[in-house]
Amino acid sequence: MKITNLIKAAFRLKNVPRLWKVAEVITIPKPGEPPHEAASYRPISLLPVMSKLFGKLPIKRLKSIIERKTLILKHQFGFRRKDSTIDQVHRITNIIENALEEKKVCSAVFLVVTQAYEKVWHEGLNYELRTILPKQHAEILESYLAERFFRIKQGDVYSERKEIKARVPQGSVLGPVLYQLYTCGLPDLEISTVADFADDCDINSKQQQREIYREITVINQI
């Protein structure tokens, strides 16, 4: 009952307590990597239990708003119910098969955003949230992102707290949804087919072979 009252108070005041936003980072050694190098360890962020409980409540409300306003791009299959990597693979292979049947050339560009979640700009995300979400939801999420800290735990020893000025919270249920909302403004291409799964992107384009040759000629002349 007390926990419920605390969470309700946070929603009512649109203020997430700072203690709920301190992550403990533990490091897991990678097999076969030299132990004296920092890159040989995989950091795992552990959030407080209250933070995880709080994060589950806005999800249902956000998903209903996202579905009603169609905020997530239709070609984004990541973290969506009833969509999977297999569905996206079938979609891409179907485009390639159709191109072969039509005797066209299917060109594709595959993109991967390195450390996509770590590079989410908080100020830009807050601007996007204020633009597409109701005011009360945008304000509580802005408080959820503000004044976040982490400290590294090694055995029984803790490092000093460091402020997190970017990224969506690792290990939170809200993280993937926030990333989807952050990237929902990306343009959809009319002449090509875009296939996204989280931070992986594929752009396919069907063209006549002579059109491909003409584009290559233009590029060579530049």
Side-chain angles (χ1 to χ4, degrees):
M1 188 64 180
K2 292 182 179 180
I3 293 177
T4 304
N5 291 334
L6 285 172
I7 294 176
K8 285 182 177 179
F11 272 99
R12 185 173 61 254
L13 298 173
K14 301 180 182 63
N15 191 328
V16 181
R18 186 180 298 180
L19 289 177
W20 297 3
K21 298 184 287 187
V22 179
E24 290 187 1
V25 178
I26 61 174
T27 55
I28 306 298
K30 299 178 182 178
E33 298 290 336
H36 60 278
E37 295 184 5
S40 301
Y41 296 85
R42 187 181 305 278
I44 305 296
S45 178
L46 303 177
L47 297 176
V49 175
M50 286 299 297
S51 177
K52 294 182 178 180
L53 289 174
F54 174 84
K56 289 184 177 181
L57 293 179
I59 283 292
K60 291 184 178 180
R61 301 178 185 178
L62 283 176
K63 286 186 175 180
S64 62
I65 296 173
I66 289 170
E67 292 175 1
R68 186 175 71 251
K69 301 179 70 173
T70 319
L71 296 178
I72 305 301
L73 300 172
K74 61 182 179 180
H75 52 71
Q76 172 61 266
F77 281 31
F79 310 112
R80 303 184 75 170
R81 190 174 61 178
K82 298 181 180 180
D83 290 331
S84 67
T85 52
I86 300 299
D87 297 321
Q88 199 67 286
V89 170
H90 284 317
R91 184 164 172 257
I92 296 172
T93 54
N94 185 58
I95 294 170
I96 298 172
E97 290 174 356
N98 289 338
L100 293 175
E101 292 177 359
E102 297 171 7
K103 297 183 179 180
K104 293 182 178 181
V105 175
C106 183
S107 56
V109 177
F110 294 89
L111 305 172
V112 178
V113 182
T114 304
Q115 296 180 336
Y117 297 159
E118 287 80 358
K119 295 179 179 177
V120 172
W121 177 37
H122 284 178
E123 187 174 342
L125 174 57
N126 287 328
Y127 175 81
E128 188 72 27
L129 295 176
R130 289 193 296 269
T131 302
I132 62 179
L133 294 179
K135 182 179 179 181
Q136 63 271 25
H137 291 80
E139 288 180 349
I140 191 67
L141 290 175
E142 186 172 351
S143 175
Y144 180 75
L145 291 169
E147 298 182 302
R148 301 195 72 91
F149 294 85
F150 76 94
R151 59 180 182 175
I152 299 175
K153 180 181 180 182
Q154 183 64 38
D156 296 328
V157 181
Y158 293 90
S159 69
E160 295 182 358
R161 290 183 180 182
K162 298 291 183 180
E163 187 175 3
I164 302 173
K165 298 182 179 181
R167 75 178 296 155
V168 294
Q170 183 186 16
S172 69
V173 293
L174 278 173
V177 177
L178 291 174
Y179 180 79
Q180 286 181 323
L181 295 175
Y182 183 64
T183 57
C184 70
L186 295 176
D188 199 357
L189 305 177
E190 295 181 0
I191 60 174
S192 302
T193 301
V194 181
D196 285 333
F197 195 92
D199 56 346
D200 297 325
C201 178
D202 168 50
I203 303 174
N204 290 274
S205 178
K206 294 191 299 182
Q207 294 175 299
Q208 297 289 349
Q209 194 168 8
R210 61 177 178 273
E211 294 175 350
I212 297 292
Y213 290 152
R214 183 165 61 248
E215 290 182 3
I216 293 175
T217 302
V218 171
I219 292 173
N220 289 336
Q221 291 175 351
I222 296 177

